[in-house]
Amino acid sequence: MTGRLRFSALAGVAAAVVLAGVGAWVGAGAVATENPLHATKPAPMPVAAAAPLAQASGKEKKRKAPVIWKRKDKAVVRQAEDALFGGRYVALGSSFAAGPGLAPGKPAVPGAPARCGQSMANYPTLLAERLSLVLIDRSCSGAQTANILNSWGEIPPQIEAVTPDTRLVTLTIGGNDLNYVGNAFAASCRAQVAAASPALPGDKARVCPALFIPSEADYAANEDRLRQIVREIHRRAPSARVMFVQYLTLIPTADRMCAAVAMSPEDADVLRTIAARLSETILRTAAAEGAQVVQMNEASATHTPCDKVPWMNGSKFGQQATDGIGWHLNAAGMKATADGIAYWLTSPARRIFDPRFEPAPAQIAQPTPAPTSPAPGFGSAPVSAAGTASAVPAPKNR
């Protein structure tokens, strides 16, 4: 591949991958008896036409459809696939990895009870099928960074699934510490209440939670815990590849807002700010601790709930959840994420880091104790760096 083509510029997903030779399910994961990529090659992955490809005639032609990137380094790809074949893959994270409301659901297993909301169509499962990996899926809806390293009620620490023979660990975590998705539910609730007709006498008023505005200490504490997680993974599995999967984009730019993401401009700005700060934190953590980053936030920027081919659901208020619950990935988003991870796994190893964002060690706080009671994962305020839950009204536009 050329240096000009980065996964962060992906504009969509190509035709469905034909998965062959998938073996029996074991626990919360799968064992594939034959590498499906060797049996049937996947369709090429599309990328944005930021760098036009030279034509056979030497002249450039205008393309209406996205440029299709075709791998020419087949030997490198095959070598990467063979290195992963049959390897132990541990998926850690929260609901963006688990896939709540995305049919069909996974049966509960020790370490991943029903309340985790795992789906058979989540990206860890799709990736394991695609690359013939042995999956141990410990993703759990509502999980915070503390739940990776500590027990959460009846659920043991997710990181206990990482063993010395682990070859791959994916991480989608940190959003619930900042109430990222919880704020989306709160913002859409506020918009629905504001748009509702005046209540009739005797009607019970609907109360929406206030948005949680993370402080600088909250962001610093979140980064500190993310770094602890990566260091502990490396300690437990020195040979494992660790890959952060960025949170997909929930809220489009202000000029592309639509009914699916109805909320005030002020609340939308709060969500965009949290998303940007979380992305920066993950980039810094990966660079400092030796991990890779799959830039699904950038890849999904044109696949929000307001776009023609959404990878994310909007509020879905009052709708049945079969293609994912509100403010979470749908089936297309899970497939796109699995495709993106596979792309980077079979490409030359690299880190992604934006040097504009420098860590601030002086602000890093001590880790927050793990929550002791189950959380729905879709709207509860996180514990602040000071150790207490805090929520304040959304700020005005700055």
Side-chain angles (χ1 to χ4, degrees):
M1 78 178 261
T2 66
R4 294 180 298 175
L5 301 182
R6 298 178 57 213
F7 171 70
S8 60
L10 289 177
V13 181
V17 177
V18 179
L19 299 175
V22 178
W25 289 99
V26 178
V31 179
T33 59
E34 179 184 357
N35 191 335
L37 292 182
H38 292 180
T40 306
K41 289 295 179 185
M45 295 180 64
V47 299
L53 299 180
Q55 306 300 312
S57 63
K59 298 180 180 179
E60 294 181 358
K61 296 181 180 180
K62 292 183 178 179
R63 295 173 182 259
K64 294 183 179 179
V67 173
I68 300 299
W69 176 73
K70 297 181 179 180
R71 292 186 189 274
K72 295 182 179 179
D73 51 347
K74 294 182 180 179
V76 174
V77 175
R78 179 61 63 86
Q79 184 179 14
E81 293 171 0
D82 289 343
L84 290 167
F85 179 81
R88 181 183 177 93
Y89 162 36
V90 178
L92 308 178
S94 57
S95 54
F96 268 43
L102 189 59
K106 275 186 184 178
V109 297
R115 72 178 174 96
C116 287
Q118 291 183 356
S119 167
M120 295 286 280
N122 64 14
Y123 78 71
T125 304
L126 299 179
L127 183 66
E129 290 176 346
R130 178 168 177 168
L131 296 180
S132 299
L133 300 166
V134 179
L135 171 64
I136 292 74
D137 189 354
R138 289 297 177 260
S139 61
C140 191
S141 298
Q144 298 183 19
T145 52
N147 306 129
I148 304 292
L149 299 170
N150 302 282
S151 59
W152 184 20
E154 81 281 18
I155 303 175
Q158 292 187 26
I159 204 162
E160 287 187 356
V162 178
T163 54
D165 60 336
T166 300
R167 306 285 286 281
L168 172 66
V169 179
T170 56
L171 283 162
T172 304
I173 196 70
N176 285 332
D177 297 66
L178 307 173
N179 211 41
Y180 179 36
V181 177
N183 279 346
F185 278 94
S188 59
C189 174
R190 287 152 60 116
Q192 290 157 10
V193 169
S197 301
L200 296 175
D203 284 354
K204 186 176 180 180
R206 184 180 179 189
V207 179
C208 301
L211 270 65
F212 175 86
I213 312 301
S215 66
E216 290 302 316
D218 293 323
Y219 285 116
N222 198 30
E223 181 171 335
D224 186 44
R225 290 189 293 269
L226 288 172
R227 292 190 180 197
Q228 289 183 52
I229 289 168
V230 179
R231 289 196 294 267
E232 182 63 14
I233 292 171
H234 285 319
R235 187 189 71 79
R236 290 170 175 259
S239 299
R241 293 181 68 174
V242 182
M243 303 193 80
F244 277 104
V245 181
Q246 292 273 29
Y247 282 73
L248 277 70
T249 301
L250 276 177
I251 308 299
T253 54
D255 60 324
R256 293 165 47 229
M257 294 290 284
C258 65
V261 294
M263 64 182 65
S264 70
E266 295 82 6
D267 288 354
D269 280 346
V270 170
L271 286 164
R272 293 190 193 101
T273 298
I274 293 175
R277 293 291 301 272
L278 178 59
S279 172
E280 295 164 13
T281 297
I282 290 171
L283 288 170
R284 280 197 303 267
T285 299
E289 304 297 341
Q292 291 178 273
V293 179
V294 182
Q295 296 277 57
M296 290 309 301
N297 55 329
E298 295 183 8
S300 60
T302 55
H303 294 278
T304 71
C306 295
D307 290 304
K308 185 176 181 180
V309 182
W311 293 351
M312 296 294 302
N313 294 319
S315 67
K316 295 187 71 172
F317 178 71
Q319 300 178 32
Q320 184 176 3
T322 56
D323 193 24
I325 65 172
W327 301 116
H328 282 75
L329 285 73
N330 58 26
M334 285 296 185
K335 181 182 181 302
T337 303
D339 287 345
I341 301 169
Y343 174 98
W344 283 101
L345 281 173
T346 56
S347 298
R350 67 191 65 193
R351 296 182 193 173
I352 304 174
F353 177 59
D354 190 332
R356 292 175 300 171
F357 308 116
E358 296 296 336
Q363 295 181 352
I364 294 178
Q366 293 300 313
T368 304
T372 57
S373 59
F378 318 128
S380 55
V383 177
S384 70
T388 57
S390 59
V392 297
K396 299 295 182 181
N397 275 336
R398 291 186 290 274

